Amino acid sequence: MAAVKINGALIDGDDPCALYQALYAVKLQMLSGERVEEMSIQSPVTREMVRFSPTSMAALDRELDRLSAACTLKTSGKRTRFAKRLRSC
């Protein structure tokens, strides 16, 4: 994969650790409200303001989880385990 431009910086698309860091910075911007778009719709009678985010937070979280696992595999050579545990009361 070639270099990818995220937040104006060129990131190596083959490095999951660099991609994780860049996408995590984007997530923080979204959570702080910096990545919110506004649009105004006007008619002779009403005026509406619509606010939306340009991406899905759930999709971003899934990609961050995937990149985190790939980065851990790359740096330590071991896969992360995702096991469900049951707690008895």
Side-chain angles (χ1 to χ4, degrees), residues 53-71:
S53 177
T55 188
S56 166
M57 188 66 76
L60 184 59
D61 285 337
R62 281 192 306 271
E63 184 63 15
L64 284 171
D65 288 341
R66 186 188 73 77
L67 289 171
S68 175
C71 181

Side-chain angles (χ1 to χ4, degrees), residues 7 14 31 50-51 78:
N7 264 353
D14 293 328
L31 290 173
V50 179
R51 299 179 84 184
K78 296 181 181 179

Side-chain angles (χ1 to χ4, degrees), residues 13-33:
D14 293 328
D15 184 7
C17 300
L19 282 172
Y20 178 85
Q21 289 177 347
L23 287 180
Y24 190 75
V26 169
K27 180 180 178 178
L28 291 178
Q29 287 177 344
M30 288 175 62
L31 290 173
S32 68

Side-chain angles (χ1 to χ4, degrees), residues 24-44:
Y24 190 75
V26 169
K27 180 180 178 178
L28 291 178
Q29 287 177 344
M30 288 175 62
L31 290 173
S32 68
E34 290 182 29
R35 295 264 179 174
V36 174
E37 303 290 332
E38 292 184 357
M39 183 174 66
S40 179
I41 302 171
Q42 293 181 348
S43 73

